Structure formats: structure tokens, C-alpha cells
């Protein structure tokens, strides 16, 4: 029974990063608001995320390295040169931005293509890794911002009843690639796709 609970917890953390969001919620808002350690590339601010109906967004500092826990499907592809920033609300919604500056545009384009490939196969990958999870996904198209950005949605439902929705985007400006994730409990019906597309365009425009 303990192993089953541990496994379920790991899946929940992987899909939504909810454990990270809860831990970060203990950070005082005064410390989190607008904190940023890196001059470039610039990261999203809380007000630039899809609006939550009953809570403000909060943000941690921009932090060098890979996020912990890693986001599903794209996490293992993120290199050690990543930088990330976590966001959360007072409820069940959280977000993450990870940015990687490559040595040149060719490497950045190849890295962005790898991330898109992983997201395009995300639902199948999750179901292979976790047999008690059912996953579906949607592709929400390309945004014509800088070198382009692509938006995806992934819904997971567990045998024990958990239902989670996450939106992902991959965008590039020159040799810089950014991944944005927004997630909460719910289904595709709860996905704030239009707002997330605006957030994605903002994130890519802010890279330099």
C-alpha cells in the first residue's frame, strides 16, 4: 500500500508540479513578487500569466539549473544550463517557465524541435510509464512570434479519480528557447487556452 501511495504521489507531482507549488506557497509574497536573478533573458511576471478567477499569482526567483520536479515529457531533455521560474496561486493552479540559451541558433532550433516532438507524443509516453493513468492531448497550433511558438494541452485521469489539465508551449527567439507550463485540476474544458496563448507570446517576446 505504501508503494502504491508513493507512486500515485510521484505521478501527481510529475503531471502538475503540485508539490513544488505547495512548497513555494510558503514563500512570503513580498519576497516572491517580481524577484529575478538574471538580466537576460527576461522571465514572465505573475501578472502575465492566465488570470485566476479568485487568486493572484505569485512567483519564485529565477533560478539556475533544472526545475525539481521535472515537468512531464520535456523534463528529461532539459540541460543543466537551464534557468527556471515557478509560479503558483492560492488554490490548485501553478505554472513554470524554463529557458535555455544555446550556443547558436542551429542548436536552439534543434532543441526546440526535440521539445515539440516530446510534447507531441506526451500522452502516449505517460500511459506507457504509468498504466493506471489515461492521457489525452491536443495541439493548439503555432503562434507567429519571433521564430515561432507551439501550444499543446495534456489531460490525465487516474484510476483513483484525479483529473488534471496542463498546457505547454515551446517558443524560440534566436538562440534562446523557452518552455511554459500552466496546470490545474480539471479537464480540457477548464484549460485557459486563449489566455495561455497570450502568455506564450509574451514569454517569447521577452526573451531579449
Amino acid at each position: 500500500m505504501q508503494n502504491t501511495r508513493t507512486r500515485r504521489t510521484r505521478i501527481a507531482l510529475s503531471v502538475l508540479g503540485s508539490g513544488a507549488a505547495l512548497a513555494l506557497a510558503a514563500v512570503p509574497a513580498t519576497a516572491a513578487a517580481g524577484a529575478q536573478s538574471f538580466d537576460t533573458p527576461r522571465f514572465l511576471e505573475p501578472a502575465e500569466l492566465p488570470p485566476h478567477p479568485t487568486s493572484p499569482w505569485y512567483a519564485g526567483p529565477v533560478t539556475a539549473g533544472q526545475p525539481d520536479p521535472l515537468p512531464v515529457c520535456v523534463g528529461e531533455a532539459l540541460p543543466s544550463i537551464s534557468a527556471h521560474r515557478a509560479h503558483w496561486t492560492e488554490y490548485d493552479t501553478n505554472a513554470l517557465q524554463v529557458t535555455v540559451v544555446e550556443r547558436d541558433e542551429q542548436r536552439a532550433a534543434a532543441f526546440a524541435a526535440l521539445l515539440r516532438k516530446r510534447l507531441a507524443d506526451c500522452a502516449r509516453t505517460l500511459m506507457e510509464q504509468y498504466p493506471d493513468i489515461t492521457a489525452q492531448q491536443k495541439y493548439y497550433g503555432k503562434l507567429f512570434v519571433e521564430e515561432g511558438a507551439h501550444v499543446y494541452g495534456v489531460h490525465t485521469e487516474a484510476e483513483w479519480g484525479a483529473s488534471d489539465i496542463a498546457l505547454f508551449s515551446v517558443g524560440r527567439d534566436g538562440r534562446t528557447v523557452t518552455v511554459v507550463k500552466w496546470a490545474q485540476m480539471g479537464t480540457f474544458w477548464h484549460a485557459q487556452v486563449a489566455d495561455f496563448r497570450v502568455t506564450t507570446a509574451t514569454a517569447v517576446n521577452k526573451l531579449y
Side-chain angles (χ1 to χ4, degrees):
M1 183 64 70
Q2 183 177 2
N3 289 339
T4 300
R5 286 197 299 268
T6 301
R7 185 162 176 264
R8 290 177 178 177
T9 301
R10 185 176 67 246
I11 296 171
L13 290 176
S14 297
V15 173
L16 287 186
S18 55
L22 290 174
L24 285 168
V27 178
T30 53
Q36 188 153 322
S37 312
F38 294 72
D39 292 331
T40 54
R42 295 176 296 160
F43 279 68
L44 290 166
E45 297 295 337
E48 295 167 329
L49 291 165
H52 192 281
T54 57
S55 170
W57 280 95
Y58 305 99
V62 176
T63 304
Q66 300 159 316
D68 182 18
L70 292 171
V72 295
C73 297
V74 298
E76 293 181 358
L78 297 174
S80 60
I81 60 171
S82 301
H84 64 277
R85 189 180 201 187
H87 299 258
W88 66 95
T89 68
E90 295 168 358
Y91 295 97
D92 62 351
T93 309
N94 63 87
L96 175 71
Q97 183 181 8
V98 185
T99 298
V100 176
V101 181
E102 288 284 6
R103 290 199 297 267
D104 54 51
E105 290 196 25
Q106 183 176 0
R107 288 177 62 90
F111 179 55
L114 171 63
L115 296 176
R116 293 197 303 271
K117 180 179 179 181
R118 291 190 174 226
L119 285 172
D121 208 27
C122 187
R124 184 186 65 81
T125 300
L126 287 175
M127 289 190 289
E128 287 180 352
Q129 292 177 343
Y130 307 109
D132 46 2
I133 287 286
T134 300
Q136 295 179 305
Q137 67 181 70
K138 294 183 179 182
Y139 174 59
Y140 291 109
K142 181 178 181 180
L143 301 180
F144 295 93
V145 53
E146 300 300 340
E147 274 67 61
H150 298 260
V151 179
Y152 305 81
V154 180
H155 172 248
T156 59
E157 187 169 2
E159 289 181 357
W160 62 92
S163 178
D164 301 312
I165 180 66
L167 298 175
F168 294 85
S169 61
V170 178
R172 182 172 71 90
D173 180 5
R175 62 190 185 97
T176 305
V177 178
T178 195
V179 180
V180 182
K181 183 201 76 172
W182 169 98
Q184 67 173 36
M185 293 189 296
T187 66
F188 283 115
W189 188 86
H190 301 95
Q192 293 179 242
V193 178
D195 292 328
F196 185 75
R197 287 168 65 90
V198 174
T199 294
T200 295
T202 301
V204 176
N205 277 323
K206 291 184 73 169
L207 290 178
Y208 282 105

